[in-house]
Amino acid sequence: MASNEYPFVPLRWTRMSPAESLERAKTFRESMASRRSVRDFSPEPIPDGVLEDAIACAAGAPSGANQQPWTFVVVTDPALKAKLREAAEAEERESYARRMSEEWLEALAPLGTDWHKPHFTDAPAIIVVFEQVYGVKPLPEGGVKKVKHYYVQESVGIAVGFLIAALTQAGLATLTHTPSPMGFLREVLGRPENERAFAVLPVGYPAPGARVPDIGKKPLHEVLVRR
Ligand code: IYR
């Protein structure tokens, strides 16, 4: 064994019958198909422990060289949520008015989004996901060494997928929000220089009477190709 190799252990694995595989695949598919991006949240609190489990699930995602280049910041403090809303709305107001192309605005028009971001203050929790562009390793002699991270965006994208799936399974609604530009998030949340905001996920229960656009997903035959 090379001295820099991890010790290897037997894979822990339970074989599932084909019937159970099919049943579970179908059940999971159906429950995930009911997921919608929600913009109208109720302020009702999230049961204790659910966010922790969902984030632990996300943090178990595969990542480049197992570097786990992510940080999940959970914001529940009303004053901090208000501050985030104010900063996000200032950026979005500028984006919708001046920075986004006509083509981009046209692509979004059917969804009815605009610069108002009430989800920041309505949702009981906001999860801000940061990517660690590089790692920071403390040196024995003091100071730190920058560690190169690989496939950061792919890794964090997969982790966010796990997170959304976990929250959906726990009966919670989310929005995948990418305010643009996102620099204010690192500042307001006091995160270090090696972290860059990747996405903002308001989490909670939908407001009574919440509405969503009547959109669907492409049929399987359009997205599944066999060779
Ligand atoms: N960040 C903006 C714009 C926006 C962009 C895409 I692509 C969307 O799918 C939705 C919104 C906003 O949050 O409004």
Side-chain angles (χ1 to χ4, degrees):
M1 183 175 100
S3 61
N4 60 353
E5 221 177 71
Y6 292 114
F8 273 56
V9 292
L11 173 68
R12 286 209 271 163
W13 176 268
T14 315
R15 179 96 200 179
M16 203 180 276
S17 72
E20 192 178 358
S21 269
L22 264 172
E23 176 55 34
R24 289 221 198 181
K26 195 174 164 55
T27 303
F28 190 69
R29 174 231 177 124
E30 283 170 0
S31 78
M32 291 305 288
S34 71
R35 184 208 59 80
R36 296 298 312 260
S37 287
V38 166
R39 289 188 162 76
D40 306 322
F41 286 89
S42 149
E44 280 169 277
I46 295 165
D48 282 349
V50 172
L51 290 183
E52 287 78 1
D53 265 329
I55 291 170
C57 171
S63 63
N66 193 37
Q67 287 172 321
Q68 306 164 56
W70 42 60
T71 307
F72 302 87
V73 178
V74 176
V75 184
T76 51
D77 172 44
L80 194 49
K81 288 194 297 172
K83 205 166 166 185
L84 289 177
R85 176 174 177 177
E86 199 178 315
E89 288 187 333
E91 291 291 14
E92 294 286 5
R93 198 195 281 260
E94 187 60 22
S95 289
Y96 277 88
R98 272 173 280 280
R99 290 193 284 239
M100 291 157 74
S101 66
E102 272 310 307
E103 192 177 10
W104 192 352
L105 292 171
E106 250 170 59
L108 286 179
L111 297 174
T113 60
D114 62 21
W115 64 267
H116 295 95
K117 301 301 168 196
H119 49 254
F120 275 103
T121 45
D122 293 348
I126 309 290
I127 304 177
V128 184
V129 184
F130 286 84
E131 56 178 81
Q132 296 172 356
V133 182
Y134 56 89
V136 183
K137 197 178 152 185
L139 290 170
E141 64 268 29
V144 290
K145 183 181 151 205
K146 282 189 183 181
V147 180
K148 184 165 169 47
H149 278 170
Y150 302 94
Y151 295 101
V152 173
Q153 299 214 323
E154 291 83 348
S155 303
V156 181
I158 294 167
V160 169
F162 274 40
L163 180 60
I164 295 170
L167 293 166
T168 303
Q169 292 303 305
L172 293 167
T174 62
L175 173 66
T176 311
H177 176 41
T178 50
S180 157
M182 291 207 261
F184 72 91
L185 291 164
R186 183 172 67 194
E187 243 168 75
V188 175
L189 299 174
R191 297 308 304 161
E193 201 187 305
N194 66 319
E195 294 189 4
R196 189 160 65 200
F198 181 86
V200 175
L201 282 99
V203 186
Y205 295 98
R211 287 154 61 91
V212 291
D214 187 12
I215 52 177
K217 298 298 179 190
K218 293 177 182 176
L220 193 58
H221 69 84
E222 267 185 45
V223 297
L224 168 61
V225 177
R226 292 187 195 274
R227 289 286 185 267

